[in-house]
Each structure stands twice: as C-alpha cells, then as structure tokens.
Amino acid sequence: MTSEHSDVISESVKRIDARGKVTGETRYPGDIDIDGQLWMRIKFSERAHARVVNVDAAKAEALPGVFRVFTSRDVPVNEYGLVIKDQPVLCGPGGVKAGADVVRCYMDMVATVVAETDAIALAALDLIDVRYEDLPAVFDAEEAMADKAPQLHPDSPGNLVARYRIRRGDMAAGWAAADVVVEGEYETTWQEHAYLQPEAGLAYIDEEDRVAVVVAGQWTHEDQEQIYHALDLPPEQVRVIYPAVGGAFGGREDMSVQIILALAAVILRRPVKIQWNREESILYHHKRHPIKVRAKWGATRAGMLTAASAEVIGDAGAYNYTSNKVLGNAQLTVSGPYEILNVQVDTYAVYTNNIPSGAFRGFGAPQALFAAEGQMNRLAAALDMDPLEIRLKNSIREGSIGVVDTPFPAGVTMPQVFEACGRESWWRRSGENWRLLKPAQPPDRSKRRGRGIAGGFKNVGFSFGFPEHCWAGLELHGRAHIDKVVLYHAGADVGQGAHTALCQMAAQAIGVPFDAVELVASDTASSESAGSASASRLTFMSGNAIRGAADIALQKWQDEERPAVGEFMYRPPATTPFDPENGRAVPNFAYGYVAEAVEVEVDIETGQVHLLDVVCANDVGKVINPQQLEGQIEGAIIQAQGYALMEDLVSDEGRIRNPHLSTYLIPTSLDVPPRIRSVILEHPDPIGPWGARGMAEMPFLPLAPAIAAAIYDATGVWIDSQPFTPQKVVVALRKRGIGFI
C-alpha cells in the first residue's frame, strides 16, 4: 500500500547537486584532504609482456620523506577482477598467486610509493629498479587465437576469455530462400571514457577502525568486495564512500586506485591520497572494446530477412574486466532488432597484450549494431527499398522470439520507435509504404548531404544469469503527518542525476513533497548493495526497491510506529546464460528501444563529415525527470558522435601514443550538431517502476551506423571502419573516383 498523491515524478525538479557543482562547493575525491595525509604514486609496467624478476626499492626507500614502497610481497591475496580475478594488484615475485610475477600490459602496476609529499613520491619512482625477463607478446586478437600465439593466462587456451555460439533454424534453407545476400566486414576501435575527473582517492582508518576508501566509482559494494578480498580482511573492516563522481560511462566499474590505497592505509595507519593526471588516466584505465564483425545476411525480394550469420571477435586486452559480458551482449545484438528465423553467430573474447577493454556506455551493443544496421542498410540499397520500410517489415514486436530462441520480455516497442523516428524526421508515409525525403544540396559542389537511419535495443539490468538486486531503506519521521523522509541508498550518481531521480521516486512513493526527502547515499556503512550505476539499470532497479520499502514503511506508519522504517531488496525475474551449444537463453528481463535518423554534410575534398541534424526516438516507459532525460539523450548523442567521427586512440604494440586531449580528440561545444531533437515515447514497461525503462545508454547505440548510412546516401560510398576520420573518408572516396585530385 503506497500513498501516491503528490505528482513529483515527470517533473523537471532542480537537481539536488546543482548548486554545489555550479559554485564549486561540491568536493570530488581529488578535493578531499585530511590532516597528516601521505601521498602515493604508482610504478607502472615498462613492458607489454614480461616476467618481473626483481623489484629493488632500496634507493627509493632511502630517499628522505619516503615512508614505504609497496610491492607484490605486501598484498595478502594478490588478485582482483570484476568478473574474473585474473589480474594481480601489484605484479612481481614472491606471492602465492601463480602468474602474479608477470606483467601483461603497460597498465600493470609493479610498485607504489608512499611519501610525505606528492613530489617526493614522484621522485622516488625513478629510484625503483625493476628487472624484467621479456616474454613474447601479441597485439592482434585474431593472431592471439592462433595455435602458436603466446599464451597470456595458463587457464585460457587459445587466449579465449569467452566463446559463445548461436545456432537457430536451418541456415541452408535460409540462404536458399534469399534473393539477395550481402556480406560485410566491420571494424571498431578503442574509445577513451574521457570523464571530467581523473582517478583520485583517499584512504584512512575511520572511527570504527575500518579502512575507509573515498573514491569515485559505480558500485560501492563491489569495490568493497574487491578490496577486502585482496587484503584478506573481513567485509565489515572495509568501507567505501563515493563523494561527487565526475563522470564514469563504465570507466569506473573496474579498480584503479582503491585496493592500493586501502593496502597502504591499513599497513601505515595513516591517511593516504593519490591523484592521477589526465595522461595517467588515459594510459592506465580500460577502454571500449575494439570489435571486428564479419557478417552475411540474406533477404527476399519483398525485403523479408531469411538468414544472418556473423563472426564477432573482441579484443579483451590483457585481463577480462567485463569482456565476457560485453561480448555476450554483442552476440545478442549483432543480428539487430529483427525477427530472423535462421541465425548463426560465433563470438570470441580474446586476451591480447593491449590495454584491457571493459565497460563503456552501450556495453558491446554499439559495435554489434554498427555491423547489424550496416547490413540492413546494405540490403535496403541492394533491394532498392526504403531503409525504414525494410526495418518495419522485419522489426521485433510484442511476442517476438529472439535469436536466443525465447520470447522477448513483454513491452516490445521497436516498431513504434522506428515509426516515431521516421515520422519526426524526413520520412513520409503513403499507405504501407515509407519514403525518405532527400535533403537539399548546398551550392558548394564540394559539399554533399545525405540522410540515414538506424535503430537498436539493449538490456536494462544485469544479464545472462548474473544475480540482480537492489536495496533501498526509508525512514518516515513526524507525528500526525510525515514531515521528513530519509532515503538510504548506495546507488552512485556519476553525473547523470540519479540521486535527484531517487528522491523524486521516494517522494512519489510516500506521497510527500520533493523537498521532504533527505538522501543518505553511496556509503557501504549506511546501505546494503544497490548494484552498479551501469546497464541502464539504476532508475529501474532503484525505483522498484524504493516502492517496496515505501510499502513497508507506510504500513508501519499506519500502525503508528515512529519513525517508521522500511527496507526492501528488489530482485527482478531471473535470467539465464547462453546454452554453450545453441545459444538458447533468457538473457534479460527488460529492454530499452531506440532509433535515430541523421543528416550529414560530407566535404568530398577534405573528407570532413559534419553532423547537422539528429532525431532520436527513445521509449523510456515513463519520464521521471524530463530535463535530465533530455540531457542524457543529448549527451549520449554527442559522445557517440565522437566515437563515430573523431576519437581515434592510437595503440602501438600495446602502448598508447596519444594520451592527451590535444591529440585524442573529443567533441567540444563547437562540434555539437546544430539540431538534436529528442522524441520521447512512454510505453510503460510492465515491471518498471511507474512503467519506467532504463534509457541512458540507448541514444548512443545507433548513431554510428546512422551516420555511415547518411555518408553513403551523400556519396555512394560505404565506410565500414570506425571512426570515420577525414583521412579514412578521403581514401574511400578517392577509391571510387570521387573528389578532387
């Protein structure tokens, strides 16, 4: 029983963190200092693949002001990892963990220095003498799968982190039924998260003799688990606190400074702080996965899909991080948002000596949909069929069976999303037929304009059998009336406005004004686990947890308990992993659906592609905060624009060569498209809180293939390797004899 009289959700209430962030009063981990704190610096690997024979820290420890140099011998359980604990905390000899003496990439840590000042700690790094025994390295995922390739991990033959397969229907019959077959090879590269706040943190011993780690992350309780595991401490002896988090996008799901800070604070019994600069941040945290897809699709003359096959190869880098999950998601989405009876997919996540790849907004779906929507646009061109019309002929819909041979969860709205995108952009409908209006061409003959469309879907929440959960606690204070509501919740606000949305949902569930809610957030000492601020899950999961806690608290209030306390752990319907033989699964309990249409202008002389107009249709189920929702859509589009057109991380045999924002280019305000139109659909998700779906990742997903389609519309040239840099576009145009010589 809940009292939902106040209309707090669907209002653009002011963010609870707005004033502090605008005035500079808000403190991020790098802003926090404690009297008596020491400073830490890290000695990173100097090899892509080598055995660490010896770490001699005598000269460093003799430097005045140095308190301690920590090496692998100091780590009680020298391993960590979000999904698979396959990475040493500090690489070097002397530990009990097999393979902990091997560095497998340049971001491995070999030692840390703790000193009175940051300058002294930095100077001490050069005094640490590390002796290496070089090992053969491999930097290409396909080469890493070869029989004679160097093996990075003894328990991963063929350097395979994970392998998945889908076998659905009769492929021979599917190809025989096809009047048109198109093949393509698609390649994506790394992407840097480029969040505003580089890695930083502070660890100290708190008033209850716990080691407290103040850091930016995405899941306090998962950070806590990895810390207490590596330090061999009871869980209750480790506390993780998130102050303000300066962006994440998946880049803070995995460890950076958490464990080494806690180790130093526990041993030295002194506060210890670290602050990375931008170069260190780019060099030493994970990136989006480079993925290669070889695809073959068939369709009838009427545009009905008959068969689709794909080989998907993802570069995991030196450690798993979330590669097995990311490539699982790529496997699920590489056939696009379409009904296809005959499907064959082989997917591989592969260890290499490159920087680890991990979570990034979209989590494998942008790469997979780049291929899937590229294939769909090729089929439309081959059949001389409108690209929206062919999509609507084949779109998944309510009751559809997925490529994993089980039904989609109720609430499929892909056709409605496609139609809304077309209707609000440049498509016109006549009966059952859709027709794209061509753009007016600029008077400058070196400029050509084109339009394109793409769509997709992605999971809301954790997938493939991972135990999903979210806890919330509520306290209702007052006498005759509820005067104050205290919400306890561990969910991270990484800049997306989650904490404001949590307070809105708590106010709505209890039936009080927004200002009556007080939030105690992101501290393992005050809340149980909420899960990660990832997978477009936090609003969906938290809202259901808050509603459950509200029911309990309101019943106690009615029974005249003061304060009335309600706690609730929400668990959604269970999911299952892929069957290893045929890929059958119930992979997810909810999805979000998106489609985007774009207009671009291509300079055929320089290869520059300008994004002029974007229409994004997104089914969000129920709007919680309209202003924040539009901000998420616009931010995702601009980030995806960088991924598609600009961001080109250069890795040379495992070493990143452009670790600065002057050479790794991301969009600025001058690059924002002149027009972005957010088309908001509200078809309630059957199990979402108030019908809300997660949506933060969805607007990222289809932009790159929509831009590729628009470039083709403008020039007649397909670009299948992302990013579409001017040099790459010029080369493709010249091969077709287009442009100036």
Side-chain angles (χ1 to χ4, degrees):
M1 128 189 134
T2 58
S3 174
E4 301 180 11
H5 303 302
S6 59
D7 187 18
V8 182
I9 61 172
S10 298
E11 294 294 325
S12 294
V13 301
K14 184 184 297 183
R15 285 178 56 149
I16 61 175
D17 57 354
R19 181 178 179 82
K21 289 182 174 178
V22 169
T23 61
E25 296 170 3
T26 297
R27 297 202 301 170
Y28 294 81
D31 301 320
I32 299 171
D33 296 291
I34 295 180
D35 289 342
Q37 72 188 19
L38 304 174
W39 288 82
M40 174 181 283
R41 283 279 183 162
I42 301 166
K43 181 78 169 178
F44 290 98
S45 168
E46 296 164 337
R47 302 287 192 278
H49 197 201
R51 191 173 309 281
V52 181
V53 177
N54 186 55
V55 180
D56 185 351
K59 291 181 180 179
E61 291 187 316
L63 184 69
V66 171
F67 272 72
R68 180 77 178 261
V69 175
F70 293 93
T71 68
S72 58
R73 300 177 190 273
D74 297 305
V75 187
V77 182
N78 196 13
E79 62 179 14
Y80 74 100
L82 186 61
V83 181
I84 302 170
K85 290 181 169 56
D86 59 352
Q87 184 169 6
V89 177
L90 295 172
C91 297
V96 297
K97 172 77 172 178
D101 59 340
V102 174
V103 294
R104 298 173 177 85
C105 62
Y106 286 105
M107 63 89 69
D108 272 323
M109 302 180 190
V110 177
T112 65
V113 176
V114 178
E116 287 181 356
T117 68
D118 184 48
I120 294 173
L122 180 62
L125 291 182
D126 291 334
L127 301 178
I128 300 173
D129 181 30
V130 183
R131 284 200 296 119
Y132 295 96
E133 177 186 293
D134 287 328
L135 298 171
V138 61
F139 304 103
D140 178 271
E142 290 190 88
E143 291 177 8
M145 297 166 67
D147 290 340
K148 295 183 180 180
Q151 297 298 294
L152 274 65
H153 296 269
D155 53 353
S156 299
N159 288 312
L160 289 180
V161 182
R163 177 178 182 176
Y164 305 113
R165 48 189 274 150
I166 287 176
R167 298 292 186 271
R168 183 171 190 243
D170 184 335
M171 295 305 294
W175 298 128
D179 296 307
V180 173
V181 174
V182 298
E183 298 187 57
E185 183 170 306
Y186 303 85
E187 194 164 0
T188 69
T189 189
W190 294 276
Q191 186 183 18
E192 157 65 25
H193 298 82
Y195 31 63
L196 287 174
Q197 179 223 329
E199 289 73 3
L202 176 73
Y204 60 93
I205 306 302
D206 74 3
E207 64 280 358
E208 295 189 25
D209 204 39
R210 298 172 292 204
V211 58
V213 182
V214 181
V215 71
Q218 295 180 235
W219 186 352
T220 53
H221 287 77
E222 178 60 33
D223 287 4
Q224 179 192 40
E225 189 277 333
Q226 294 198 62
I227 294 167
Y228 71 66
H229 173 83
L231 301 191
D232 197 22
L233 292 172
E236 62 272 14
Q237 287 296 305
V238 176
R239 178 184 183 188
V240 175
I241 305 164
Y242 292 167
V245 178
F249 315 115
R252 301 191 199 273
E253 280 201 14
D254 293 278
M255 296 289 97
S256 57
V257 300
Q258 291 92 322
I259 298 173
I260 54 175
L261 280 173
L263 173 68
V266 166
I267 292 177
L268 298 176
R269 309 295 291 183
R270 290 276 300 272
V272 181
K273 181 175 180 176
I274 192 170
Q275 171 79 59
W276 287 7
N277 59 34
R278 179 62 61 184
E279 180 180 2
E280 290 171 316
S281 182
I282 294 177
L283 287 172
Y284 302 128
H285 82 249
H286 75 262
K287 308 290 178 261
R288 186 186 294 279
H289 286 78
I291 292 179
K292 180 181 289 185
V293 179
R294 297 185 180 94
K296 177 181 176 182
W297 287 32
T300 67
R301 288 189 184 88
M304 301 304 297
L305 296 173
T306 63
S309 67
E311 181 183 51
V312 184
I313 301 172
D315 185 342
Y319 301 101
N320 177 65
Y321 283 56
T322 52
S323 291
N324 57 340
K325 304 296 184 181
V326 170
L327 270 295
N329 206 38
Q331 154 131 325
L332 186 66
T333 53
V334 76
S335 302
Y338 306 111
E339 290 188 330
I340 312 175
L341 292 177
N342 308 295
V343 181
Q344 177 174 315
V345 181
D346 290 284
T347 299
Y348 308 89
V350 188
Y351 285 124
T352 69
N353 292 111
N354 293 315
I355 191 165
S357 303
F360 200 141
R361 194 179 205 161
F363 207 74
Q367 300 96 310
L369 287 168
F370 180 49
E373 292 298 83
Q375 288 293 97
M376 205 60 168
N377 284 319
R378 271 179 160 76
L379 280 173
L383 292 165
D384 195 24
M385 183 175 290
D386 183 86
L388 176 57
E389 187 168 332
I390 193 173
R391 284 172 165 80
L392 288 169
K393 283 176 178 285
N394 294 280
S395 174
I396 55 173
R397 57 197 71 239
E398 194 71 15
S400 286
I401 305 299
V403 295
V404 290
D405 216 27
T406 57
F408 274 79
V412 180
T413 58
M414 198 70 240
Q416 296 94 314
V417 170
F418 271 135
E419 288 191 6
C421 185
R423 186 173 58 249
E424 298 297 326
S425 58
W426 308 286
W427 272 263
R428 298 298 176 261
R429 185 173 184 174
S430 176
E432 294 300 313
N433 298 320
W434 290 83
R435 178 173 61 89
L436 172 62
L437 302 179
K438 295 294 184 180
Q441 295 299 321
D444 184 346
R445 294 182 60 189
S446 68
K447 310 290 198 304
R448 298 184 185 178
R449 292 188 178 185
R451 291 168 173 167
I453 192 169
F457 69 99
K458 188 189 174 294
N459 56 296
V460 174
F462 299 146
S463 309
F464 312 126
F466 192 91
E468 178 62 292
H469 66 278
C470 186
W471 179 92
L474 288 169
E475 290 178 358
L476 312 185
H477 296 265
R479 295 191 177 184
H481 304 284
I482 300 171
D483 300 322
K484 183 174 75 170
V485 175
V486 181
L487 169 61
Y488 294 89
H489 201 278
D493 191 324
V494 296
Q496 81 279 39
H499 286 172
T500 303
L502 297 180
C503 292
Q504 286 183 263
M505 292 189 290
Q508 184 78 10
I510 297 298
V512 298
F514 176 75
D515 292 341
V517 179
E518 174 186 311
L519 177 63
V520 179
S522 302
D523 186 343
T524 58
S526 59
S527 301
E528 293 186 36
S529 177
S532 177
S534 64
S536 300
R537 63 179 291 284
L538 203 54
T539 297
F540 184 103
M541 295 294 296
S542 301
N544 281 319
I546 287 168
R547 295 189 75 167
D551 284 343
I552 295 168
L554 285 169
Q555 182 62 59
K556 291 183 177 180
W557 181 269
Q558 189 177 55
D559 295 339
E560 299 190 349
E561 288 190 31
R562 304 290 190 275
V565 177
E567 300 181 14
F568 187 75
M569 181 70 81
Y570 173 67
R571 300 185 190 277
T575 62
T576 65
F578 294 116
D579 182 283
E581 295 303 317
N582 58 29
R584 193 177 194 279
V586 180
N588 295 292
F589 54 81
Y591 290 97
Y593 303 96
V594 64
E596 287 173 347
V598 305
E599 181 175 323
V600 305
E601 183 175 273
V602 182
D603 187 322
I604 62 172
E605 183 175 1
T606 67
Q608 191 76 37
V609 178
H610 294 282
L611 184 59
L612 303 178
D613 199 346
V614 181
V615 176
C616 177
N618 209 119
D619 181 9
V620 305
K622 176 68 174 178
V623 177
I624 302 299
N625 187 305
Q627 185 182 61
Q628 291 188 175
L629 175 65
E630 289 194 24
Q632 284 292 289
I633 291 172
E634 293 170 4
I637 287 169
I638 295 163
Q639 192 175 50
Q641 174 190 0
Y643 181 56
L645 296 176
M646 303 172 64
E647 299 184 37
D648 191 10
L649 192 80
V650 179
S651 181
D652 177 14
E653 295 193 337
R655 188 183 291 278
I656 294 171
R657 295 299 185 185
N658 54 336
H660 307 95
L661 294 181
S662 58
T663 50
Y664 179 85
L665 302 181
I666 65 174
T668 71
S669 59
L670 297 178
D671 299 298
V672 174
R675 188 160 68 157
I676 297 175
R677 289 175 279 170
S678 300
V679 180
I680 310 300
L681 284 72
E682 293 185 275
H683 298 283
D685 186 277
I687 62 172
W690 299 277
R693 305 172 187 266
M695 57 70 56
E697 294 171 281
M698 313 323 170
F700 190 106
L701 307 182
L703 192 75
I707 291 174
I711 294 172
Y712 173 78
D713 186 51
T715 67
V717 175
W718 294 109
I719 310 289
D720 296 329
S721 173
Q722 161 283 326
F724 317 137
T725 58
Q727 180 181 6
K728 195 177 292 182
V729 173
V730 161
V731 169
L733 292 173
R734 298 300 183 269
K735 284 182 178 178
R736 293 288 302 275
I738 299 171
F740 300 94
I741 304 300

